[in-house]
Structures are given as C-alpha cells and as structure tokens.
Amino acid sequence: MKRILLTILSSVSLLLSWADSGIDYDGVNLDLCDDFTRSECGTMYKSVMKEVSGMAASRVTTGYLWAHGDENLDEDRKIVAIKPDGILAMTVKVNTGSSNRDDWEDIATGVYDGKHYIFIGAIGDNKLKYKDEYYIYYFEEPSVTSGTRTISASYIRFGYPDNQAHNTETLMYDNMEQMFYIVDKVDGGACTLYKLPFKKDYGTGVQVLTEVTTLGTGSSFELVCGGDISPDGQWMAIKNKKYILLWERRGSESLDETAKRRPVQIAAYKKEEQGESLAWENNLSFYTTSDSKKDTPIYKYVRPSAIPTDINDVDICDGERRSSPCVRKRLINGRVYIIRDDKRYTIHGQIVR
C-alpha cells in the first residue's frame, strides 16, 4: 500500500511539473508566462477579408488593425483597416507594379527616417518554386479614413543564404534597428530566423538574408506561421498554431542576441486551428486571429502595467519632478524611460531588466 501511495504521489508530482512548464526547447521545458489574459474582442468577417493571413496595428491611426489575405491576384491586391471588433473601416488597393507576386503571408508596420510604413511580405512558397523571388512591398502608412483608395508600393526582392527555396509566413520589423526579421516555416524541424536591413536604395537586385539562429531544436516549435515585434522593440512574439513564444530584449542589445536566449511560452494562448496572425498593439497587448474561410474570432491578449498606480502623483523635489517614492522621466539613448526607486520602466509600463 505504501509503495502504491508513493507511486501515485510521484505521478501527481510529475503531472504538476508538466502543467507548470512549457514545450521542450533546446532540451529544456520552457517557463510559462502567466502575465497575459485572453479575451474575444471581435470577429474577422469573411465578407471583409477572406482567409486573413497577416495582421498589424496601425501606428498612424490608433485603434485600428491592418489585415490582408494570401490570395492576392491582380484584381484583388488589397489590405483592409478594421477596428478590433472586425468592422471594416477602409480598403487600400495596392499597386505592386511589374513584380505581381501573390501569396502574401504577413504584414508589419514600422518607422523609418521619421515616417511610418506598411510592409507586406509576399513570401509564401508552399511548392518551393520561387527560390529568390520573395518580395517585401512597402509604402508610407496612410491615415485610416473610409472608403477605398489605391497606393503604389515599392519593393525589396530577396533570397536565402543557401540559395534554396523556403516557405515563409512570418515577417517582422524592428524599429530599434530598422531591420526585417523573417522566420521560415519548416514541417518536422526547427524553423530559422533571418534578418535584412530596411533600405530604400536596394534597387531591383536580389538581396540575401542573413541567418540569425534556429528557434529551438527538433520539431517542438515547427511550422512557424506568424509573429511581431512590439513598437518599442522590447518584445518579440512568434507563433505556430499551437504556441506563442515570447522573447524579451535586454536594454539596447541587438535582437540577434535576444533571439539566441531561451524564450518563455505564453500560457493564455489557445490553439487556433488556422491561426496565422499576430499583431502587437503596444508592448502590453497584442491580437491574434485565424486564416479561415469562415467568420473567425479576433482575440486580444493583455497584461497589466508594471508601473505602480501612483506614477502620476508627481511633486517638485530637489529641482526635479518627483513623488514619494521618487519617480522621474528620463531620455536614455534616445528612448524615454520612467525611473522609479532606481528601477527603469518603459513608457508603456514594463520593467526593463
């Protein structure tokens, strides 16, 4: 009886340890991040955009999301602006010129030289036939108004360092480095993170991505299908249909360094059967939705601010704006931080370690 009881207790302990840990990543079970809560905030209506493949938050008109599908034939190359409830606000037809590459798989927003841009990744390649015909279309982000307008896009054409075809569904942009980060989609193996600087003078030649790192080993995090980098550059979230992994940038380090560390796994994420889209609203919240031929939910993931509630209770002390305990606003390396009790927070409220 004692042996049976010990066996039961051991099994319960093992189950609890599994419940408190994430997927195997480089031979170690990931820590689960319990910071985020998940709620359904709207519906991606098929009448607005069939089979949403990419989604990004507007940086010009707060409170809107840009979305696109992956079937982008000549007569239907477009993105749409929606509210998080899924209601259509505006349609933008995209003129891609002579390149005319279909299979758009992801969209990102970012800042370059003081201007806001939209980036569209024509990077899908299910049949592995394109090799070096992958495109990032870009144009200045318009304000969200209503109706339909047409915008002409420029493009960057790229290939991979092994000179082989890659199927890819993840395009991200880092505002800190003005860098694209791209993850290929591998079935049954580890996916690889690549990078390419954003420049407007590449011309029409083929640019070659630089390999950064593989995301884990084996097939525990295979078939990566979406991701985004928070607008302040501190967080990178990458997903497949089962999991979302989260990397935190430390200070001003390169994202290369960040990506080579072990991430955490977001516990609140629930499997979306065709979940290909992820978009940071700010560094406290992001959205996901599915690539589905039917109406599908839009989910919002939110974590609480790390800045105490008294952050705005500011007085004058020693010639500086401060409260008790001391709170200061500082510009450090071109970025604004809140300093409280010698701890540094981003302006969005997340502590900087």
Side-chain angles (χ1 to χ4, degrees), residues 34-39 266 268 286 300-304:
D34 294 316
D35 295 348
F36 290 87
T37 57
R38 172 183 182 261
S39 62
I266 293 180
F286 63 86
K300 186 173 185 177
Y301 294 78
V302 181
R303 66 171 161 219

Side-chain angles (χ1 to χ4, degrees), residues 190-351:
C191 300
T192 300
L193 180 69
Y194 300 88
K195 68 177 183 179
L196 180 72
F198 176 36
K199 298 180 182 179
K200 298 177 69 176
D201 58 357
Y202 279 130
T204 58
V206 178
Q207 309 308 309
V208 179
L209 303 183
T210 299
E211 181 176 331
V212 176
T213 187
T214 53
L215 303 178
T217 55
S219 59
S220 58
F221 193 53
E222 63 179 350
L223 296 171
V224 165
C225 57
D228 198 14
I229 298 165
S230 62
D232 69 349
Q234 188 176 356
W235 301 95
M236 177 172 68
I238 299 176
K239 73 184 297 296
N240 61 15
K241 291 167 186 177
K242 296 181 180 179
Y243 316 110
I244 297 178
L245 304 190
L246 183 68
W247 287 258
E248 180 182 7
R249 179 185 243 138
R250 295 174 181 171
S252 59
E253 71 179 4
S254 73
L255 204 61
D256 293 30
E257 297 174 85
T258 304
K260 290 172 184 175
R261 287 200 304 275
R262 190 175 299 124
V264 296
Q265 181 179 330
I266 293 180
Y269 181 68
K270 307 298 181 184
K271 180 180 177 180
E272 295 172 277
E273 198 61 46
Q274 292 175 271
E276 294 188 5
S277 301
L278 188 152
W280 283 100
E281 179 180 41
N282 50 52
N283 88 335
L284 296 176
S285 61
F286 63 86
Y287 298 93
T288 67
T289 195
S290 294
D291 176 1
S292 175
K293 294 182 180 179
K294 59 185 179 180
D295 293 348
T296 188
I298 299 172
Y299 295 105
K300 186 173 185 177
Y301 294 78
V302 181
R303 66 171 161 219
S305 169
I307 292 181
T309 55
D310 64 351
I311 192 69
N312 292 317
D313 298 336
V314 179
D315 301 318
I316 298 296
C317 182
D318 297 332
E320 296 186 4
R321 291 173 61 82
R322 62 178 294 175
S323 68
S324 181
C326 179
V327 177
R328 296 186 179 93
K329 183 180 284 189
R330 286 284 183 269
L331 183 67
I332 303 173
N333 295 327
R335 302 177 71 197
V336 177
Y337 295 94
I338 302 297
I339 310 298
R340 182 184 191 274
D341 291 341
D342 297 322
K343 294 180 181 179
R344 187 186 304 180
Y345 300 85
T346 71
I347 58 174
H348 298 292
Q350 186 62 37
I351 192 168

Side-chain angles (χ1 to χ4, degrees), residues 29-314:
N29 286 100
L30 294 180
D31 292 334
L32 289 179
C33 172
D34 294 316
D35 295 348
F36 290 87
T37 57
R38 172 183 182 261
S39 62
E40 186 174 329
C41 64
T43 300
M44 192 65 243
Y45 298 103
K46 64 180 180 180
S47 60
V48 172
M49 178 58 67
K50 183 175 70 174
E51 298 185 63
V52 173
S53 191
M55 191 166 62
S58 172
R59 303 302 172 199
V60 171
T61 312
T62 304
Y64 287 87
L65 299 167
W66 293 105
H68 70 81
D70 57 6
E71 293 298 329
N72 296 96
L73 305 176
D74 289 345
E75 69 278 6
D76 197 33
R77 297 180 187 278
K78 67 182 181 182
I79 62 175
V80 295
I82 61 171
K83 294 287 283 185
D85 60 10
I87 301 300
L88 175 66
M90 178 183 181
T91 299
V92 175
K93 294 185 177 181
V94 183
N95 180 359
T96 59
S98 59
S99 58
N100 284 337
R101 174 72 151 79
D102 63 358
D103 207 356
W104 295 5
E105 289 293 351
D106 208 357
I107 185 172
T109 49
V111 178
Y112 179 81
D113 197 22
K115 296 179 180 179
H116 292 273
Y117 285 87
I118 289 177
F119 307 105
I120 299 170
I123 53 181
D125 194 1
N126 287 319
K127 296 182 179 179
L128 300 178
K129 64 180 182 180
Y130 288 109
K131 192 175 179 180
D132 61 3
E133 293 184 67
Y134 306 104
Y135 291 86
I136 300 171
Y137 295 114
Y138 66 91
F139 50 90
E140 287 189 38
E141 181 182 348
S143 297
V144 176
T145 53
S146 61
T148 301
R149 63 176 296 187
T150 299
I151 291 180
S152 293
S154 301
Y155 68 79
I156 298 169
R157 180 181 174 184
F158 70 87
Y160 289 83
D162 61 4
N163 201 32
Q164 300 296 313
H166 290 248
N167 187 30
T168 306
E169 296 186 357
T170 304
L171 171 70
M172 305 178 287
Y173 181 77
D174 178 28
N175 284 317
M176 285 184 65
E177 299 176 298
Q178 289 82 58
M179 188 80 67
F180 296 112
Y181 283 89
I182 294 167
V183 188
D184 61 2
K185 182 181 180 181
V186 177
D187 187 355
C191 300
T192 300
L193 180 69
Y194 300 88
K195 68 177 183 179
L196 180 72
F198 176 36
K199 298 180 182 179
K200 298 177 69 176
D201 58 357
Y202 279 130
T204 58
V206 178
Q207 309 308 309
V208 179
L209 303 183
T210 299
E211 181 176 331
V212 176
T213 187
T214 53
L215 303 178
T217 55
S219 59
S220 58
F221 193 53
E222 63 179 350
L223 296 171
V224 165
C225 57
D228 198 14
I229 298 165
S230 62
D232 69 349
Q234 188 176 356
W235 301 95
M236 177 172 68
I238 299 176
K239 73 184 297 296
N240 61 15
K241 291 167 186 177
K242 296 181 180 179
Y243 316 110
I244 297 178
L245 304 190
L246 183 68
W247 287 258
E248 180 182 7
R249 179 185 243 138
R250 295 174 181 171
S252 59
E253 71 179 4
S254 73
L255 204 61
D256 293 30
E257 297 174 85
T258 304
K260 290 172 184 175
R261 287 200 304 275
R262 190 175 299 124
V264 296
Q265 181 179 330
I266 293 180
Y269 181 68
K270 307 298 181 184
K271 180 180 177 180
E272 295 172 277
E273 198 61 46
Q274 292 175 271
E276 294 188 5
S277 301
L278 188 152
W280 283 100
E281 179 180 41
N282 50 52
N283 88 335
L284 296 176
S285 61
F286 63 86
Y287 298 93
T288 67
T289 195
S290 294
D291 176 1
S292 175
K293 294 182 180 179
K294 59 185 179 180
D295 293 348
T296 188
I298 299 172
Y299 295 105
K300 186 173 185 177
Y301 294 78
V302 181
R303 66 171 161 219
S305 169
I307 292 181
T309 55
D310 64 351
I311 192 69
N312 292 317
D313 298 336
V314 179

